[in-house]
Amino acid sequence: MVEIRLRNSKTRKVEPLQPLDPDNLRMYVCGPTVYDRAHLGNARPVIVFDVLYRLLRHVYGPDHVTYVRNFTDVDDKINAAALARKEVGAEGSLEDLIRERTEQTIAWYHADMDALGTLRPTHEPRATEFIPQMVAMIETLIDEGHAYAAEGHVLFAVDSWREHYGALSGRSVDDMIAGARVEVAPYKRNPMDFVLWKPSDAQEPGWDSPWGRGRPGWHIECSAMAKALLGDTFDIHGGGNDLMFPHHENEIAQSCCANHTEEMAKIWMHNEMLQVEGKKMSKSLGNFFTVRDLLDQGVPGEVIRFVMLSTHYSKPMDWTKRKAEEAESALSNFLSLITDEIARTVGPEDVDKRVVDAISDDLNTSLAIHTLYDLAKKRDVSKLLASLNFLGFDFSTIEAYWTGNEDFNRLNDATIRLSELREAALVSKDFTAVDSLKSALTTAGVEVRMSKEGVELIPGPNFDPAKLEGLL
């Protein structure tokens, strides 16, 4: 069996994955708070852990992997979005508007993530469906002396877990307090104590509890859902590195204390953040956009996925227009090699071993992408297609886009023609025809790259497909 090695954020080491139960490998990834469209940065962990999910299914079998990714559908941002709609005249109660908004946002999320080639998890629990489990876990924490009720709130007592708190993020409680930007409420025993339950007013969604009508804190939601669906301890917990503290740190504290375990998950994994053209994505810089924005602009989901996978998950990922163009060109070139006959006969057993090995080595997607180029160069089309499928690129979806895109069909034809002329010139030593076509392509706004790996044509910002007519 293939050995899978993953970087454990808690130990700061790449470790072999040793499943607690090989017949049921279990993974939890923190999902979205559903109040608006998913921005491009939200897509990165979805794609990263989709690749891991595919690897686990490939190695252990689809029936032996359980993947949970939650929806946070009770949150102050959701409340604010619903209240804003009510204030401008939307009909229905606030709870109706909240439910309507979360249903709509979940549908958007599914559509957008499906377009990126990601598989749906085994379970997609909604926080509001697990309120009784959250209340029960909070009661246990109070009974065990790890939490206390105060002024309608229930808070986790960090001092009760002080020896272990901070192990994931590498911080001590004293250091955290010194640099804390947390709410220092009068009912807190320690500034680092965090909310498990908070009161709800008439304008907010709420549930009955031993501490009055209220709603759960963010952290307890994931702990309760993970316990209910995966057990007290499971194999992998993932998410963006912005969740390491305080969210994942607090999950560990409350889960271990409530479940009487030494750990919540065996391996913790965190992906780095996304940038746009070398800068942090933000509305103030004007470089903030959603996945849907790109899809509506005509950027295929496969291109977004390709760009994401070209950078290792542990490094910051820089989205640039140039990378998107290069990804589109690469996928177009791959597609030109694939025939319907090959598509009908290829299977999972045809995946190139180097691709599986690369992904098994801490999700080295950039090395796997490099292998795709090598397979294309060698015209090993069965392995190329199987490896594309393994990495989440659906041939039928790619084909549907490119066969309907005349501009890139022309560019693909130009790639084939220039490759043929180059191969002939290498024999005859007469590069006149090659140089002529290169010059015409450059005039049409196409960057021409030729190397030992072959020919690659990349459409630039001034690409004019009309200028390719009559060249081929």
Side-chain angles (χ1 to χ4, degrees), residues 17-60:
L17 174 63
Q18 299 174 326
L20 293 165
D21 177 4
D23 288 331
N24 185 19
L25 194 144
R26 291 159 287 160
M27 176 170 70
Y28 187 96
V29 175
C30 290
T33 299
V34 285
Y35 66 96
D36 209 344
R37 286 278 189 185
H39 63 69
L40 189 61
N42 298 144
R44 194 177 192 196
V46 179
I47 292 174
V48 165
F49 290 101
D50 178 71
V51 171
L52 177 55
Y53 183 38
R54 290 173 181 274
L55 173 66
L56 297 175
R57 288 163 58 93
H58 181 83
V59 173
Y60 292 96

Side-chain angles (χ1 to χ4, degrees), residues 88-378:
V88 295
E91 295 182 359
S93 68
L94 189 62
E95 289 190 354
D96 290 338
L97 293 175
I98 288 171
R99 183 68 178 178
E100 182 182 307
R101 182 64 170 181
T102 56
E103 290 286 351
Q104 181 184 48
T105 308
I106 288 171
W108 287 343
Y109 187 82
H110 277 146
D112 294 349
M113 297 308 116
D114 289 351
L116 303 183
T118 62
L119 300 172
R120 300 276 180 97
T122 315
H123 302 289
E124 294 183 284
R126 302 184 186 196
T128 53
E129 297 171 347
F130 288 80
I131 299 296
Q133 291 88 337
M134 296 173 202
V135 170
M137 182 172 276
I138 294 169
E139 288 182 308
T140 298
L141 290 169
I142 292 175
D143 292 343
E144 299 282 341
H146 294 294
Y148 58 94
E151 298 184 22
H153 295 75
V154 181
L155 298 108
F156 183 88
V158 168
D159 283 334
S160 73
W161 185 249
R162 192 182 190 93
E163 182 180 347
H164 308 283
Y165 192 76
L168 178 66
S169 56
R171 314 178 188 193
S172 71
V173 174
D174 290 336
D175 288 342
M176 292 182 204
I177 293 174
R181 290 184 179 179
V182 295
E183 178 190 2
V184 183
Y187 48 78
K188 282 190 177 185
R189 297 175 183 173
N190 182 315
M192 296 307 300
D193 291 351
F194 56 89
V195 172
L196 301 173
W197 189 264
K198 53 188 173 182
S200 294
D201 61 29
Q203 292 295 312
E204 296 167 328
W207 291 262
D208 292 334
S209 79
W211 318 286
R213 183 175 179 276
R215 60 197 191 279
W218 175 33
H219 314 302
I220 197 69
E221 295 175 12
C222 286
S223 285
M225 288 185 281
K227 176 183 173 68
L229 297 170
L230 299 177
D232 292 348
T233 304
F234 48 93
D235 298 289
I236 301 167
H237 195 314
N241 68 353
D242 57 327
L243 299 179
M244 187 181 296
F245 183 85
H247 185 51
H248 288 166
E249 197 75 73
N250 292 349
E251 275 191 66
I252 292 173
Q254 60 202 11
S255 292
C256 289
C257 289
N259 300 334
H260 307 104
T261 58
E262 293 184 0
E263 55 191 0
M264 181 183 184
K266 299 288 289 184
I267 293 179
W268 287 82
M269 296 180 66
H270 295 90
N271 63 274
E272 258 288 355
M273 296 294 99
L274 176 137
Q275 299 174 326
V276 175
E277 302 290 349
K279 297 179 180 179
K280 181 179 179 181
M281 186 168 68
S282 70
K283 292 180 179 178
S284 63
L285 293 175
N287 64 354
F288 180 95
F289 48 88
T290 67
V291 172
R292 180 51 51 180
D293 290 334
L294 286 179
L295 296 172
D296 287 346
Q297 290 165 19
V299 179
E302 291 78 20
V303 166
I304 298 172
R305 186 181 186 92
F306 195 95
V307 173
M308 293 270 190
L309 296 187
S310 297
T311 300
H312 192 271
Y313 77 90
S314 66
K315 300 180 184 300
M317 208 292 294
D318 191 17
W319 173 271
T320 67
K321 184 177 180 181
R322 183 178 185 83
K323 285 182 180 179
E325 291 168 349
E326 291 174 346
E328 193 154 15
S329 176
L331 287 168
S332 179
N333 289 337
F334 295 160
L335 180 64
S336 71
L337 303 173
I338 298 169
T339 65
D340 289 338
E341 181 180 357
I342 290 173
R344 285 193 298 269
T345 59
V346 73
E349 67 280 359
D350 296 310
V351 178
D352 192 279
K353 182 177 182 298
R354 292 172 297 168
V355 172
V356 177
D357 288 346
I359 302 303
S360 299
D361 185 15
D362 194 30
L363 305 188
N364 193 341
T365 53
S366 55
L367 179 57
I369 294 289
H370 179 77
T371 303
L372 296 181
Y373 284 107
D374 184 61
L375 291 170
K377 174 188 174 185
K378 294 175 179 177

Side-chain angles (χ1 to χ4, degrees), residues 17 83 132 156 319 327 421 433 438 455:
L17 174 63
L83 187 59
F156 183 88
W319 173 271
L421 292 175
K438 280 178 60 180
V455 172

